[in-house]
Amino acid sequence: MAAALKCLLTLGRWCPGLGVAPQARALAALVPGVTQVDNKSGFLQKRPHRQHPGILKLPHVRLPQALANGAQLLLLDLSQTEEKLRGAVLHALRKTTYHWQELSYTEGLSLVYMAARLDGGFAAVSRAFHEIRARNPAFQPQTLMDFGSGTGSVTWAAHSIWGQSLREYMCVDRSAAMLVLAEKLLKGGSESGEPYIPGVFFRQFLPVSPKVQFDVVVSAFSLSELPSKADRTEVVQTLWRKTGHFLVLVENGTKAGHSLLMDARDLVLKGKEKSPLDPRPGFVFAPCPHELPCPQLTNLACSFSQAYHPIPFSWNKKPKEEKFSMVILARGSPEEAHRWPRITQPVLKRPRHVHCHLCCPDGHMQHAVLTARRHGRDLYRCARVSSWGDLLPVLTPSAFPPSTAQDPSES
């Protein structure tokens, strides 16, 4: 057992830049022929199983109070009853979720889009940023660029996560109406006054200088609004050149959104264009635990869900779920990232066993049925408290015996 544990700690070598301790890297590793390491080894560091390092799901996300107040104030100026606004919001959601199309925003449409997407968009981006902070707590960005910034929800989410270190937020959106709206939201819904977040700049075009890079570059629900694949290719290449550390891409959790993100992922990973100013290669930080072709691309959309509290209206008070797809690309070496399997569907808990659908580091999907008897008490408990989107702390998932159990979700 001591030799096996030593092997595990060697495999789970520490990467100081990511702030991941060796004990955490070795958590619940499976080695053929070796019983699951128990808590006596101390790899949980006295933490309960429900706090294991692979847990990344956020509780219900709520808009910052200043943002919610500003949005409600602006919606009072919209000459529609709540019932008409609800219909307009549902119509806007259908248009933006199921169709790739270029949208032109007027002042009125910008307000309707804000009512429809501000809270859900904030929740999705918050979840993406939380993954970076949870896995790399030492990362303290100073600059951020948001392409297709819209209502500015990315700026608010970034400020909630890294407000102590961020000094510059560059919001890029070719819609002048959206930029005006985002600036009003920063000022509490008015055209005057001091912005709630300092250091926010607005422009309609991407910075031209190849020397300008940002620690974090984001495109949230914007690539799908570009009119053609050629336009998307050009934008993704430009965004990657502007990326100093992390490129965060978020789209709707549909097959179309997932496919679009996989195109962007492949473009960065296979791109032969090297910036003379930053020759560092790219790798997938999340959600994929590998750089291989996506095993879900021809079947289901790789999507995740984040609960949130919506902007309160009489018809909009209950908590909601935002379904989204994301890919986070980083500069550096893949060895700097976790290579734990990603849970790609809701975890199914049954008496004395649990079903997990995993995207594994070897580029394959796996349906694992975990029990305490076969896989050890700690791994079983870690799996049982994990959720859709979390990482299952297993170093060698191929050590799972093939499962002959029927998937309950298909019955």
Side-chain angles (χ1 to χ4, degrees):
M1 179 62 74
L5 181 57
K6 182 179 179 181
C7 173
L8 297 184
L9 293 178
T10 301
L11 288 171
R13 58 189 179 277
W14 183 35
C15 297
L18 291 180
V20 181
Q23 295 92 336
R25 276 300 185 95
L27 174 61
L30 290 180
V31 178
V34 177
T35 304
Q36 172 61 47
V37 181
D38 64 19
N39 242 348
K40 294 178 182 178
S41 65
F43 68 86
L44 280 172
Q45 299 180 332
K46 297 184 179 180
R47 288 174 298 189
H49 296 87
R50 65 178 179 276
Q51 294 177 9
H52 75 74
I55 289 184
L56 297 164
K57 190 175 181 67
L58 282 171
H60 283 74
V61 171
R62 191 184 299 271
L63 291 178
Q65 195 59 52
L67 177 58
N69 291 345
Q72 287 183 296
L73 182 61
L74 286 167
L75 289 173
L76 290 176
D77 299 332
L78 196 62
S79 57
Q80 296 186 35
T81 64
E82 279 206 355
E83 189 60 34
K84 288 185 177 179
L85 178 60
R86 180 187 183 212
V89 165
L90 293 175
H91 179 67
L93 283 174
R94 283 193 293 269
K95 286 184 67 176
T96 58
T97 301
Y98 298 109
H99 302 281
W100 290 3
Q101 64 182 93
E102 186 176 9
L103 299 178
S104 178
Y105 292 99
T106 62
E107 181 180 357
L109 183 57
S110 296
L111 285 170
V112 171
Y113 181 86
M114 179 190 72
R117 295 295 303 134
L118 177 64
D119 39 22
F122 177 87
V125 174
S126 294
R127 168 61 182 81
F129 288 165
H130 171 70
E131 172 122 3
I132 298 175
R133 182 178 64 174
R135 291 173 50 192
N136 190 355
F139 178 63
Q140 295 293 318
Q142 296 190 22
T143 58
L144 176 142
M145 184 180 76
D146 178 17
F147 172 76
S149 54
T151 59
S153 58
V154 167
T155 290
W156 288 87
H159 182 264
S160 298
I161 299 285
W162 297 300
Q164 296 299 313
S165 65
L166 278 169
R167 297 292 177 265
E168 178 185 346
Y169 308 77
M170 178 66 71
C171 297
V172 181
D173 199 302
R174 56 184 174 181
S175 168
M178 276 294 194
L179 294 178
V180 170
L181 175 59
E183 190 167 10
K184 285 182 180 178
L185 285 170
L186 283 172
K187 296 178 179 178
S190 67
E191 295 182 357
S192 58
E194 290 295 317
Y196 182 81
I197 303 173
V200 181
F201 303 93
F202 299 95
R203 58 187 301 164
Q204 287 186 273
F205 303 99
L206 286 165
V208 176
S209 173
K211 297 181 180 180
V212 177
Q213 279 193 322
F214 298 83
D215 295 330
V216 180
V217 175
V218 185
S219 172
F221 307 102
S222 298
L223 294 178
S224 54
E225 293 186 11
L226 296 175
S228 70
K229 184 174 182 178
D231 288 308
R232 289 191 289 275
T233 297
E234 181 181 356
V235 165
V236 169
Q237 289 175 332
T238 300
L239 295 182
W240 180 241
R241 286 196 298 269
K242 299 294 182 189
T243 299
H245 293 281
F246 289 101
L247 173 60
V248 180
L249 305 176
V250 181
E251 289 292 337
N252 292 303
T254 60
K255 289 192 71 172
H258 173 220
S259 176
L260 184 154
L261 291 181
M262 292 302 96
D263 288 344
R265 170 188 183 270
D266 292 344
L267 190 64
V268 171
L269 295 179
K270 299 177 182 178
K272 297 180 180 179
E273 176 186 355
K274 302 293 183 184
S275 169
L277 300 175
D278 195 341
R280 291 174 297 163
F283 69 93
V284 182
F285 183 81
C288 324
H290 56 79
E291 279 72 43
L292 299 167
C294 176
Q296 282 203 182
L297 193 56
T298 57
N299 299 312
L300 300 172
C302 179
S303 62
F304 305 97
S305 181
Q306 177 57 53
Y308 68 94
H309 295 281
I311 302 174
F313 299 111
S314 60
W315 45 270
N316 202 37
K317 291 182 178 180
K318 294 182 179 179
K320 293 186 174 183
E321 295 277 339
E322 174 71 9
K323 188 178 178 183
F324 65 97
S325 293
M326 69 173 180
V327 63
I328 303 175
L329 299 156
R331 289 198 181 272
S333 169
E335 285 73 28
E336 298 176 24
H338 279 314
R339 285 317 192 207
W340 291 341
R342 178 79 59 172
I343 300 174
T344 60
Q345 296 182 33
V347 174
L348 301 172
K349 303 170 187 177
R350 297 294 184 263
R352 294 186 297 279
H353 69 280
V354 59
H355 294 257
C356 291
H357 292 81
L358 306 171
C359 181
C360 298
D362 61 3
H364 292 91
M365 299 299 298
Q366 188 161 13
H367 169 206
V369 181
L370 304 175
T371 68
R373 183 176 180 179
R374 297 180 71 188
H375 300 97
R377 166 180 171 271
D378 288 307
L379 178 57
Y380 170 67
R381 289 194 176 184
C382 285
R384 200 163 184 89
V385 298
S386 297
S387 304
W388 180 13
D390 288 342
L391 296 171
L392 189 64
V394 178
L395 287 183
T396 55
S398 58
F400 287 124
S403 172
T404 57
Q406 182 182 5
D407 187 343
S409 64
E410 297 174 356
S411 58

